[in-house]
Every structure is written in structure tokens, then in C-alpha cells.
Amino acid sequence: MISKREAAKGYAAVGSEPRLDVLLLLIKAGEEGLTISEIGNHLGFAASTLAHHLRFLVEAKMVPQEKQGREVRNTANFFYLEELENYLLLECCNDSDKSGG
């Protein structure tokens, strides 16, 4: 289970439309992922802009990177994304027995 701090960092990382675009593209790419140049070509981002957005996603544990020769492959961290998705849902109805009704 992820901590509140990790959840806040994850939600903040996808709080910008360009970063959300990068993440959604990587989710669509599946387990194979995409290289930085492939992401840039798909989304039309300059290399420096893409590096900026990827840094946020990597720091939030949403996108692991793996060096492959001269390229860096990026994949969506599906396990973490599922944990982040469930973070809010796990709080559902936790206070219902305290309502005094």
C-alpha cells in the first residue's frame, strides 16, 4: 500500500495535461513501453520539454526508465498506478459506522 505522501506526489505528477498525455501514451504502449524519442515523436514535444515532464513521472514512481544502449525505454508502472487508483477507493465508507445513526 502506498503512503499518503506517495499518493499526493503521484496525483500531482499527473496534474498537468502534458504529463497526463505522456502517461496515457505509455499505458497504451503496454509492457513494451516507448523510448524517449518515440514519445517525443508521438506527442510533438521538444526534447527538453519531454525530459521535464518525464522527470516528474519518474520521481513519482509512475514511469520507470531503463537504459537500452543509447536509448532510454519508459514504461508505465502498472502496479503503482493500480495502487494509486485504489488509494482513494480504499477510504470508501470507513466512517460510516461513526455517523451515530
Side-chain angles (χ1 to χ4, degrees), residues 8-20:
K9 196 171 194 175
Y11 290 124
V14 293
S16 87
E17 194 172 328
R19 287 194 291 273
L20 186 56

Side-chain angles (χ1 to χ4, degrees), residues 49-98:
T49 300
L50 181 55
H52 167 78
H53 292 305
L54 278 170
R55 186 178 76 245
F56 276 91
L57 296 170
V58 169
E59 287 176 3
K61 299 181 183 178
M62 297 179 133
V63 175
Q65 294 181 314
E66 182 181 329
K67 185 105 168 124
Q68 294 180 332
R70 295 187 334 185
E71 290 282 355
V72 176
R73 184 152 300 274
N74 300 266
T75 55
N77 183 344
F78 291 102
F79 175 77
Y80 178 80
L81 292 171
E82 186 175 359
E83 290 281 307
L84 188 59
E85 172 190 24
N86 289 329
Y87 181 81
L88 293 176
L89 298 177
L90 289 173
E91 294 298 314
C92 177
C93 309
N94 275 344
D95 286 340
S96 63
D97 60 340
K98 298 176 188 175

